[in-house]
Amino acid sequence: MPHTPPQLQVGGETGQVRGRRRLVWLRLLVLLVFAVLAARLWQLQILEGDRYRLQAAGNRFALQTVPAPRGVIYDRIGRILARNVVSFDVTVVPASVPEEQEETILRTLAALLDIPLNNYAALAQASLGEDSVADPPPPLDPNCGEPGLLECFRVAKQAPYRAIRVGRDVPADRAFQLLEQAVFLPGVFVEPKPKRLYVYGPLLGHILGYMMPVSQEFLEQAPSSEEYELVDEAGVAGVEASFERELRGRKGRKLVEKDVFGREVRVLYEVPPEPGYNIFLTIDVDLQRVATEALRRGLEEVGSPRGAVVALDPRDGQILALVSLPSYDNNLFVGPISPADYQMLLEDERKPLFNTAISGAFAPGSIFKLVTASAALQEGVITPQTRLSAPGIIYLPNKYFPDDPDLAQPFYDWLPAGHGVINVVRALARSSDVFFYKVAGGFPGEIEGLGIERLARWARMFGLGELTRVDLPGEAAGLVPTPTWKRQALGETWVTGDTYNLAIGQGFLTVTPLQMANVTAAVANGGTLYRPQLVYQVQDAEGNVIKGFRPEVLRHVPVDPDNLAIVREGMRGAVAWPDGTASFAGLPTSVAVAGKTGTAEYCDPLPDLSDCRRNENGYLVTHAWFTAFAPYENPEIVLLVFVHGNGREVLEGSKVAAPIAAEILRYWFEERAR
Amino acid sequence: MNRRAWRNFDYSLLVLSLTLVAYGWLMVRSAQPPDRPYALYQLLWIGVGLVCSLGVSLIDYRLLNHLARPLYVVLVLALGMVLVMGRTAFGGQRWLAVLFFTVQPSELAKVGLIVILATFLGRRAVGFRTVAISFLLVVPLAGLIFLQPSLSTALILFAIWGGMLFVAGAPVRYFLSGGVASVAALPLAWNYVLQEYMRERIRIFLNPLADPGGSGYNLLQSRIAIGAGGLLGQGYGAGGQSQLGYLRVRHTDFIFSVIAEELGFLGAFVLFVLLVILLFRLIHIAQEARDAQGRLIVAGVAVMIFFQAAVNIGVNVGLLPPTGVSLPFISYGGSNLITLFLGLGLAQSVALRRHALEFD
């Protein structure tokens, strides 16, 4: 463009001409710009179109897994114990909240969900409960880090398409209120989610267990065919864990088209999920409740920290009740559990998550005499007629100086007066210690004795020292001590005194309440050791039986039925004879009950002292046991009660454990609608 | 007005603008969220716009000479009022409630500026003095609008000013030195003139992947929408990105992406052709104008439409950083549409009086 000096005349000819020429340039500029834009468009749409089409599809389509409804758990007569309910989460997508309605919507939301509108309200709410300075209120959503809704929303707006979760597990009525007002609350979404509900809470906490979000390790170990994802939960305790595979079902999958908020617009393809199998437990909820209440009262009365009740059907090993106190509400784990709640459960001194009935191994005391008696009879060490003197104290001569009475070791009976000269039935009924010392360890000049090897073998034959393989995780095996074990573990030689102790269920022997219930069941049913089972039936969602109940025999304990009958006679005597150990326990008389008490000394080590806790008279503190079956002639239930020692007193099985069993048996035989 | 004058009425301008508006209406209808009947409102705005347009075309543009000064004062006052008491919407105070509907004075300022500059430049030779004074006329308007804040509208005002100076015949070296000065001032502008949100937008434009879920979201999504359209598009009302809400503000600033996705390269190209023809028609009217004032008015209107279209499409195809410029005739919006029709009315007014003889 040539340079021309400014024109002075208004609207002069030169200006006119130049103006028109400039307009030609303007046309060229228009063409050029639109050509550039068209070229760019060609590049995006034609040259790179495929790439963007893929991205658009990635935006819109998602292959989603559809969670399978978890199986429902019932008790033996079909009462629902665990089921799935809907829980509602409330989320807000900042991008779809109209700016001019922001304040109104957030206010409504805060009021409906009862969440703090701003940080100030959150602070006020947090410090309301306590007098002292409160902890800082928790963030509303981890993504925003602010406890107040307004502040949280403001932070979340920086990534406006990411939803913030402002309400978890909102009550159904609130959720429906929100849904009704959905038109006035754009950007607020209510998301239904399945949630496990444990109808009876702590009553069945230990049996049903709970689920937790799967860990990275779990994912790596699980076979890929089971299709676990990081967002899934899996049972980690109780039946939820041991029947995870049955309860879980099979995930479905679907290809969906979704909008920008992730909401499903259209399902293009779907493989429906297969619901998990429903499980019927062998548990009778009513018996469980009665047993729990009886045990709870019993524990409170003596100030015991924990206890257990096991009820079995001796004819097939079905578990009718399995109580462990203290328990916990497994609904706490739904949702999933908050770190604070979990911490609280783990740090609770009473260890509520510990299943005493199957995981606790304790000295059984005199209830072990069932094993000693059965073994001695079967090995021919004694006959039913064999009578031994059972004084209040015996002196075991020193092995190396058998003639020096000063070196002899005294062994005491629980009854200082002793029981006279008695046979095995009476020894069981009176729970003579000395009789069983002699039978197990021998006594010079009177009886040869079983010896440790044979006694230990019989103990293992009755299932002690090994898992019962009950359908629950976390079972303990307990310990049946042997000379080899003692040498290896303690570096000491086995002595006859150890055998004496083992004979009456003391010393190194530890057992779980469930193991002892199973021993009793074997005695009651004539020698069959069943695997204790919790599941009566597995059904698919249509009610077809996938797996019915079949008794599983762990072992036929090779004791002649006649010999077991003798042991049962002793147990009956303990209950029925006026001087039987359980005769004053108030056991029901309407049914013939047979039982065995146990008062097991245990060492509760004192800090700083090389001694264990003792009562005021210097005796070691004890656990209280009672194991029973009924009816005597035709046993249909085995009941075992364990009350952990309180650390201060001698808790006698006959006074502490047997009355609890009495209450439960009275219910079972007298009050239960049969 | 003389009946013969109607022979000069530029029917092709009317038909072109109506075609564009119809095209836009169809796309607004496709892009509107199910619960917001924008297309219905748009019909109302089109009607109001047409009436305004015809009304303005009846006025002899030469009478606007007398209106220029009061108009300038009114505009400055209105823009000042917006700053003081305007309603806050979309992060800016651009709306002013007048009677029963809200208007954006900044939109009207565009047409106002065209009239004022045409009056001012049409009577003078474009020397340094004229350029400087006209610059001083633009600055208060653009400044007030910038403070709302609306950088894009302020830029449009400067574009109109520059375009009109160019057509008025300002020496090319002014433009060259102006360009150099602008580039030199860029760092200063970045630090002292641009507000944080503007800087953020430019940063995101340079690297949208830095925050794909947040601020970079719309840039990526619009590019995906356009790319996915291909040659023929996915069909009217069937664009996945548009219909499922992945595109934000799709009925206004990103409506071009909807066109490109649903109607493809062809649909967009048709729009380009229509816009180019309209602009050429306006330039033609400018060339035919009987005087400098008329020529400048029409050129100003053409520059306004051209600049907005180019910037809007440039943003949509990812060539320019995002600004809130709407696509003329296509985007939803009342003030915007009325402004355009007022501009076309002015052009029509110039066209009607193009031959001096017929008014004798």
Side-chain angles (χ1 to χ4, degrees):
Chain A
M1 185 116 331
H3 167 70
T4 32
Q7 301 294 306
L8 289 178
Q9 69 264 58
V10 175
E13 191 59 26
T14 322
Q16 189 88 356
V17 170
R18 195 197 297 176
R20 291 207 172 123
R21 204 163 58 225
R22 289 279 168 97
L23 285 169
V24 175
W25 284 107
L26 191 58
R27 283 180 197 252
L28 286 178
L29 184 66
V30 167
L31 277 182
L32 179 71
V33 165
F34 276 97
V36 167
L37 292 176
R40 168 68 171 174
L41 209 53
W42 181 268
Q43 180 203 355
L44 288 179
Q45 298 198 283
I46 311 298
L47 302 181
E48 296 174 358
D50 289 339
R51 184 156 63 99
Y52 289 114
R53 260 188 294 279
L54 268 181
Q55 285 188 25
N59 262 349
R60 288 164 65 189
F61 300 113
L63 189 61
Q64 295 178 338
T65 48
V66 186
R70 198 170 173 85
V72 175
I73 305 177
Y74 302 88
D75 88 338
R76 63 185 298 123
I77 64 164
R79 280 171 288 208
I80 292 179
L81 310 181
R83 63 191 179 102
N84 308 309
V85 292
V86 187
S87 113
F88 299 95
D89 278 9
V90 179
T91 57
V92 177
V93 178
S96 41
V97 177
E99 200 141 354
E100 64 273 14
Q101 293 179 42
E102 215 168 77
E103 175 109 9
T104 335
I105 289 175
L106 294 182
R107 272 184 193 286
T108 314
L109 202 56
L112 264 175
L113 295 179
D114 202 19
I115 50 177
L117 180 64
N118 50 39
N119 283 351
Y120 180 74
L123 209 63
Q125 217 170 60
S127 47
L128 209 65
E130 297 150 57
D131 313 315
S132 55
V133 181
D135 294 333
L140 205 51
D141 179 293
N143 277 337
C144 68
E146 298 276 357
L149 182 57
L150 285 174
E151 287 87 352
C152 184
F153 185 83
R154 213 158 289 150
V155 173
K157 262 172 101 173
Q158 285 163 8
Y161 284 90
R162 209 174 291 142
I164 45 168
R165 202 166 300 276
V166 297
R168 283 176 196 280
D169 204 0
V170 173
D173 56 328
R174 297 292 172 92
F176 290 132
Q177 257 174 295
L178 274 174
L179 286 171
E180 280 165 14
Q181 299 189 31
V183 191
F184 310 108
L185 298 170
V188 177
F189 301 99
V190 177
E191 295 176 355
K193 261 186 358 187
K195 179 182 95 162
R196 204 75 164 147
L197 175 71
Y198 300 106
V199 179
Y200 292 90
L203 184 62
L204 296 162
H206 287 297
I207 297 175
L208 297 180
Y210 51 86
M211 297 195 291
M212 298 254 263
V214 295
S215 63
Q216 195 64 48
E217 289 160 51
F218 181 95
L219 281 183
E220 281 158 16
Q221 284 166 8
S224 57
S225 60
E226 293 188 0
E227 301 176 324
Y228 280 98
E229 296 165 281
L230 206 50
V231 292
D232 289 344
E233 292 196 326
V236 294
V239 169
E240 292 277 29
S242 47
F243 288 87
E244 167 73 14
R245 189 168 296 178
E246 287 82 355
L247 288 167
R248 187 161 175 263
R250 221 183 152 70
K251 287 181 180 176
R253 44 184 68 249
K254 61 179 176 181
L255 186 63
V256 297
E257 187 179 10
K258 56 189 176 54
D259 69 6
V260 65
F261 306 117
R263 289 178 306 195
E264 196 176 296
V265 176
R266 200 152 56 100
V267 178
L268 302 156
Y269 162 81
E270 184 170 20
V271 177
E274 292 169 31
Y277 292 149
N278 297 332
I279 287 183
F280 289 75
L281 297 187
T282 56
I283 297 290
D284 180 318
V285 169
D286 289 333
L287 180 65
Q288 177 83 10
R289 186 185 293 114
V290 169
T292 303
E293 284 316 310
L295 180 64
R296 188 192 313 284
R297 276 195 296 275
L299 295 184
E300 270 167 19
E301 223 159 87
V302 297
S304 160
R306 58 179 53 252
V309 173
V310 181
L312 291 177
D313 188 327
R315 295 166 298 189
D316 53 15
Q318 289 188 32
I319 300 176
L320 302 173
L322 189 68
V323 180
S324 173
L325 288 179
S327 184
Y328 61 96
D329 187 348
N330 42 357
N331 288 304
L332 278 177
F333 283 87
V334 174
I337 191 166
S338 71
D341 282 345
Y342 195 45
Q343 197 67 22
M344 199 187 70
L345 281 176
L346 289 179
E347 285 175 359
D348 191 329
E349 276 181 6
R350 303 173 309 140
K351 291 193 168 48
L353 294 180
F354 183 77
N355 189 341
T356 309
I358 66 161
S359 308
F362 312 97
S366 296
I367 59 171
F368 180 74
K369 289 171 184 167
L370 302 185
V371 175
T372 313
S374 303
L377 286 164
Q378 187 62 26
E379 294 283 351
V381 173
I382 52 168
T383 67
Q385 286 74 42
T386 305
R387 291 160 66 88
L388 299 173
S389 94
I393 185 168
I394 56 169
Y395 294 92
L396 182 62
N398 188 289
K399 201 172 172 181
Y400 304 103
F401 305 98
D403 300 326
D404 186 347
D406 290 345
L407 289 177
Q409 192 185 354
F411 282 87
Y412 300 93
D413 196 282
W414 66 271
L415 192 66
H419 309 279
V421 178
I422 52 174
N423 64 8
V424 66
V425 171
R426 191 157 176 76
L428 284 168
R430 301 277 300 143
S431 200
S432 161
D433 292 331
V434 168
F435 182 91
F436 287 102
Y437 292 152
K438 290 178 172 177
V439 162
F443 196 70
E446 195 173 5
I447 186 167
E448 181 68 27
L450 269 169
I452 175 59
E453 297 295 350
R454 284 196 288 184
L455 182 55
R457 202 177 71 236
W458 278 99
R460 282 196 301 272
M461 211 92 83
F462 273 98
L464 302 182
E466 66 179 30
L467 302 178
T468 67
R469 293 178 33 232
V470 67
D471 313 305
L472 290 175
E475 193 188 3
L479 174 72
V480 176
T482 61
T484 319
W485 169 83
K486 192 180 177 190
R487 219 171 14 255
Q488 286 171 352
L490 305 175
E492 291 173 18
T493 316
W494 189 273
V495 296
T496 308
D498 292 326
T499 315
Y500 275 18
N501 280 331
L502 178 59
I504 61 162
Q506 295 284 175
F508 307 111
L509 176 71
T510 57
V511 301
T512 69
L514 179 63
Q515 281 174 334
M516 282 319 293
N518 224 17
V519 167
T520 311
V523 168
N525 67 24
T528 308
L529 199 63
Y530 288 104
R531 181 173 82 82
Q533 293 191 68
L534 264 174
V535 170
Y536 182 71
Q537 211 167 64
V538 177
Q539 294 184 355
D540 68 12
E542 280 81 45
N544 304 313
V545 176
I546 300 295
K547 194 169 153 247
F549 181 81
R550 215 178 308 136
E552 284 179 40
V553 176
L554 288 176
R555 185 180 301 123
H556 290 286
V557 186
V559 189
D560 292 344
D562 294 348
N563 287 334
L564 287 176
I566 296 297
V567 177
R568 289 201 293 273
E569 206 183 318
M571 290 174 75
R572 174 63 184 149
V575 174
W577 296 352
D579 58 352
T581 52
S583 57
F584 298 105
L587 287 156
T589 49
S590 58
V591 59
V593 178
K596 182 75 201 78
T597 55
T599 303
E601 292 179 343
Y602 69 103
C603 185
D604 190 354
L606 284 167
D608 309 329
L609 285 171
S610 51
D611 196 9
C612 314
R613 289 189 192 277
R614 292 166 186 277
N615 73 355
E616 64 258 30
N617 298 326
Y619 290 108
L620 284 171
V621 293
T622 63
H623 304 309
W625 293 84
F626 185 67
T627 186
F629 64 87
Y632 173 59
E633 296 296 344
N634 189 18
E636 61 178 57
I637 187 171
V638 161
L639 189 67
L640 179 132
V641 175
F642 166 72
V643 175
H644 193 283
N646 60 12
R648 303 184 307 272
E649 293 167 292
V650 168
L651 302 184
E652 290 176 43
S654 58
K655 290 181 184 158
V656 175
I660 296 172
E663 204 178 323
I664 300 167
L665 287 171
R666 254 201 311 279
Y667 162 78
W668 186 254
F669 287 104
E670 293 171 10
E671 292 160 29
R672 181 173 62 117
R674 307 189 77 173
Chain B
M1 196 167 69
N2 193 310
R3 186 183 287 172
R4 282 182 299 160
W6 287 106
R7 273 185 284 156
N8 282 331
F9 188 84
D10 199 313
Y11 290 100
S12 57
L13 189 64
L14 181 68
V15 170
L16 272 169
S17 59
L18 285 180
T19 310
L20 277 165
V21 165
Y23 195 167
W25 183 81
L26 281 174
M27 294 324 293
V28 167
R29 190 173 150 269
S30 170
Q32 68 186 359
D35 53 337
R36 313 262 169 90
Y38 287 129
L40 204 65
Y41 303 153
Q42 185 78 336
L43 274 183
L44 175 73
W45 295 126
I46 292 171
V48 173
L50 275 174
V51 171
C52 291
S53 181
L54 284 172
V56 169
S57 65
L58 293 180
I59 303 169
D60 188 336
Y61 68 92
R62 285 165 296 190
L63 298 175
L64 295 174
N65 283 341
H66 312 290
L67 235 101
R69 279 165 198 274
L71 183 63
Y72 187 78
V73 174
V74 167
L75 276 178
V76 171
L77 284 179
L79 288 171
M81 261 168 72
V82 167
L83 273 191
V84 176
M85 52 176 275
R87 274 176 54 192
T88 301
F90 296 109
Q93 310 174 318
R94 305 172 199 168
W95 303 75
L96 194 61
V98 174
L99 295 177
F100 56 92
F101 68 100
T102 56
V103 291
Q104 275 180 286
S106 58
E107 283 291 326
L108 298 178
K110 295 177 200 167
V111 189
L113 183 71
I114 290 170
V115 169
I116 291 159
L117 282 180
T119 307
F120 181 74
L121 296 173
R123 285 191 299 213
R124 287 167 180 80
V126 193
F128 179 77
R129 206 179 123 84
T130 318
V131 171
I133 294 175
S134 66
F135 179 72
L136 292 179
L137 282 176
V138 179
V139 165
L141 296 178
L144 285 169
I145 290 171
F146 175 80
L147 289 176
Q148 286 181 358
S150 170
L151 174 65
S152 51
T153 311
L155 281 178
I156 292 172
L157 292 194
F158 279 111
I160 291 169
W161 170 67
M164 288 176 74
L165 278 183
F166 180 74
V167 173
V172 172
R173 60 192 154 90
Y174 288 6
F175 292 96
L176 292 179
S177 47
V180 171
S182 308
V183 171
L186 265 182
L188 277 177
W190 176 268
N191 285 323
Y192 299 109
V193 181
L194 291 191
Q195 301 184 13
E196 186 50 38
Y197 88 98
M198 301 170 181
R199 284 197 285 266
E200 184 61 23
R201 277 191 186 179
I202 294 171
R203 281 193 211 107
I204 294 294
F205 168 71
L206 296 175
N207 183 16
L209 285 172
D211 186 13
S215 328
Y217 176 88
N218 230 24
L219 286 180
L220 290 176
Q221 295 301 338
S222 72
R223 209 170 294 179
I224 292 173
I226 293 171
L231 182 65
L232 298 174
Q234 301 183 353
Y236 178 71
Q241 292 285 109
S242 316
Q243 301 300 327
L244 298 175
Y246 289 96
L247 264 180
R248 235 181 143 186
V249 287
R250 55 189 179 278
H251 59 290
T252 57
D253 294 356
F254 282 89
I255 197 153
F256 178 77
S257 298
V258 179
I259 294 178
E261 187 188 26
E262 300 197 341
L263 304 179
F265 181 79
L266 275 184
F269 196 76
V270 167
L271 175 72
F272 286 6
V273 169
L274 286 172
L275 283 171
V276 169
I277 295 177
L278 178 90
L279 290 172
F280 274 36
R281 190 69 205 164
L282 284 172
I283 293 169
H284 173 76
I285 293 171
Q287 281 173 328
E288 300 265 291
R290 68 185 291 160
D291 55 21
Q293 189 190 356
R295 184 168 70 239
L296 286 171
I297 286 178
V298 185
V301 172
V303 166
M304 173 178 78
I305 295 172
F306 173 50
F307 184 77
Q308 291 196 41
V311 169
N312 176 280
I313 297 170
V315 168
N316 271 268
V317 298
L319 287 176
L320 294 174
T323 52
V325 175
S326 56
L327 185 55
F329 304 108
I330 308 293
S331 289
Y332 169 79
S335 301
N336 181 24
L337 209 54
I338 288 171
T339 307
L340 288 165
F341 274 115
L342 286 178
L344 290 183
L346 286 174
Q348 202 67 261
S349 169
V350 173
L352 280 171
R353 294 159 187 88
R354 66 183 116 179
H355 299 302
L357 276 174
E358 289 171 21
F359 289 89
D360 288 343

